[in-house]
Amino acid sequence: VGRLTAEQVIDSTQEVLTEREYSVMCHRYGLDGFYSKSQRECGKIFGVSYAMIHLIEKKAIAKLRNYFN
């Protein structure tokens, strides 16, 4: 199996993650046209604590690891 392009990875990410998880990951890591932001900044955007952003991010990363492995 060949390497995936960035576009293929982002498309796959949208399929695997919930809309909220995908949105958090885009804001945190500067994907899909967003600038990267801290957990605190993301927390303000989504109206949750930075700890909740950390949990959403952790769950999303676990889903992606499972999907791509």
Side-chain angles (χ1 to χ4, degrees), residues 37-63:
K37 298 171 184 68
S38 70
Q39 289 177 340
R40 286 193 192 277
E41 290 170 321
C42 288
K44 289 178 184 178
I45 291 168
F46 292 97
V48 297
S49 68
Y50 73 92
M52 180 58 73
I53 294 296
H54 175 74
L55 293 175
I56 293 169
E57 182 181 351
K58 186 175 175 180
K59 183 178 177 183
I61 290 170
K63 281 184 176 181

Side-chain angles (χ1 to χ4, degrees), residues 1-2 6 12 23 47 54 62-63:
V1 177
S12 297
S23 188
H54 175 74
K63 281 184 176 181

Side-chain angles (χ1 to χ4, degrees), residues 13 17-32 34-37 42 46 53-62 64:
T13 301
L17 301 179
T18 66
E19 188 175 327
R20 186 177 192 186
E21 290 168 339
Y22 178 74
S23 188
V24 167
M25 296 300 281
C26 285
H27 282 278
R28 276 289 288 139
Y29 295 100
L31 305 173
D32 211 14
F34 292 97
Y35 293 105
S36 60
K37 298 171 184 68
C42 288
F46 292 97
I53 294 296
H54 175 74
L55 293 175
I56 293 169
E57 182 181 351
K58 186 175 175 180
K59 183 178 177 183
I61 290 170
L64 292 172

